[in-house]
Amino acid sequence: MNSYFNRRTLAKALLVGAAASPFVLRSKAFASSCDDHIVRIGSTSAPDTMNPFATWSSAFPLFYTYDCLVGVDAQRHDDRKGFAQTWSVADDSLAWTFKIWPGMKWSDGQPATARDAAFTFNYLLGSIGKPDELNIGQNSTNGMEQIASVTATDDETLQIVSKAPTRWPVDNYLLMVPEHIWKDISYADARSTFRNDPPLVGTGPMIVAEFQQGQFVRLAPNPYFRTGKPTTAGMIVHQFSTQDPIAQGLKSGSLDYGGVTAAQWADLSKNPNVVVGEARNEQRDYLAFNTASAEGAGSTKALQDPAFRDAIGYAIDQKTIVDRAYRGHADPGVGIAMPVAADYYSDLGDIRRHFDLAEAARRLDEAGYRDTNADGVREDKEGNSFQLELIAGNLSGVYEIPIAVTQLIAGWLSQIGIPVSVTQLDSGALGARIKPPADGGGGWDLLIASTWLSTSPHDLLSLGSRKALNNTSYWTNEKFEKYFSELDSTVDVKKSQLLVDQAARLIYTDSPYIMLSYPLTLEAHRKDCFEGWGTDDAVSQWGYFPFDRLKPRNG
């Protein structure tokens, strides 16, 4: 899965969240949900197009309109199925069979069949190797090199045959699109100019009906949804640049749901009309080193030295980051697998660094990065004083990283003779700077950012693979690539666990990334207008739940 965030890069986008435009705040979009039965959500996501082949920034709201064939939610919850109702794999672990919901329709009333799913996969497969390969959006060719064929044997049966054993056919989260809409769209247009303007045509419970970039997305209930038309009158997802107006909207009743900061969460927990919740998720906040050695390289070759990076790791206090920046609403960062990935998480206790500024300084001295002129600033091996640029910001679709994280890290590095200048960027500018050097990115030294992908072994390790766009450190390691490739052709869980552990230890010791934290989902919803919110997570981070089943309380 190619992503700069990850999330969603997949959830998430709805939950993370200054002021909205005056137009939005004054519009009738902020009428009472109890009266018109429209669910109002506050979000800091920044969808830029409704074309899933051209963007990752629009996973939400596209998850409400389009279905994955299977995806994450369907494997965790029996009542949250996607385009396929059931699935199975042959004894050879190569041939996967998916049974599509009988009689399912697109939101325009046209039949939605296995042939549409086959079209979606083959549309991507057909672009591989071409100048306009579809490899930049949520619907991407990434991972499809493992697929030998995709065939609809009848309207209700899809078969995917892989070249080697792999769980990709069920773990991918490509969005199924209607052939009758997309068949005449060229690859060049699909990855660039075609915006897929509303109203969209999908099989999800809520269909994007209007999109005003930077303001809101309005969705209408799908009259042909497979389990019945949702009973709410629709949804409006309001875009904000911070979470402050989200908290205000939850208090006033102009919003029904949103993600909040730790301080807002504590404040809203006292409100009798609001329910707050927290849960682990797939986000990983990290410090990345620019390890590029040629195009896009940073200001010093020290960034390419594992000993330098490892020493910096001793100057990062993850517990303090959690306690002070997240007010306890996070798990301390350790390895590439996050705690919610229970089958693969390890605290790496036998190799785990501990916070010790003196030890960090000692290791820097030992590695040859000393302060030779006693001016308080160390020099690299070329004799140049360190002055590193640290870029930071929040990518679309991930939770906001508190500014205190950047302040703490800059302070600790300064104490060991590594001064940094901080450049805080908005989502678009940050995304541009961390693109692969071949696409114009790079030139920075340190990066504080987040990624949000699933707990599949492939997604856990993609952060370190040169094949993945979300490898924002530009790190390459042949042994790691071997683990990554072998993992992609493995379906046995125990073997996958071993490979993930080996790869996690390798990337930890080589240190292209220092994991800072795994922030918890902090969310809040009002309880006066709708019922049917989830109990652990009020809103799924991987699909349409609960917007297929919310009910107006006075309806």
Side-chain angles (χ1 to χ4, degrees), residues 198-280:
L200 305 191
V201 176
T203 52
M206 290 287 171
I207 305 300
V208 174
E210 184 181 3
F211 171 45
Q212 294 293 328
Q213 188 171 351
Q215 296 185 20
F216 66 89
V217 182
R218 182 174 62 84
L219 301 96
N222 180 358
Y224 299 105
F225 187 57
R226 54 188 167 269
T227 59
K229 180 182 177 181
T231 59
T232 63
M235 297 169 57
I236 300 175
V237 181
H238 297 280
Q239 273 97 50
F240 302 98
S241 57
T242 75
Q243 289 166 297
D244 292 338
I246 297 178
Q248 294 164 10
L250 287 163
K251 286 182 178 180
S252 69
S254 62
L255 292 175
D256 299 298
Y257 173 86
V260 293
T261 66
Q264 294 162 351
W265 188 92
D267 182 44
L268 288 166
S269 68
K270 305 169 188 174
N271 190 311
N273 294 314
V274 176
V275 176
V276 297
E278 66 176 349
R280 282 176 168 162

Side-chain angles (χ1 to χ4, degrees), residues 163-185:
K163 298 173 183 177
T166 176
R167 288 190 54 83
W168 186 89
V170 291
D171 283 343
N172 77 84
Y173 21 96
L174 302 180
L175 300 175
M176 302 298 102
V177 300
E179 181 177 9
H180 64 280
I181 300 294
W182 287 86
K183 64 181 180 180
D184 296 323
I185 306 300

Side-chain angles (χ1 to χ4, degrees), residues 15 27 37 65 74-75 123 152 182 206 236 257 360 376 383 393 401 421 440:
L15 293 176
S27 75
H37 300 166
T65 291
Q75 295 185 71
Y123 186 61
W182 287 86
M206 290 287 171
I236 300 175
Y257 173 86
I401 300 176
S421 60

Side-chain angles (χ1 to χ4, degrees), residues 12 52 128 148 154 185 224 227 244 263 290 296 325 341 392 406 425 430 450 489 512 539:
K12 240 223 31 191
I128 292 178
D154 58 46
I185 306 300
Y224 299 105
T227 59
D244 292 338
N290 180 347
T406 303
L425 301 170
L430 182 62
S450 303
S489 60
V539 169

Side-chain angles (χ1 to χ4, degrees), residues 530-552:
F530 301 99
E531 59 185 358
W533 302 98
T535 52
D536 296 325
D537 292 331
V539 169
S540 168
Q541 307 303 287
W542 289 101
Y544 53 75
F545 175 87
F547 302 111
D548 60 325
R549 65 198 73 182
L550 277 187
K551 295 180 180 180

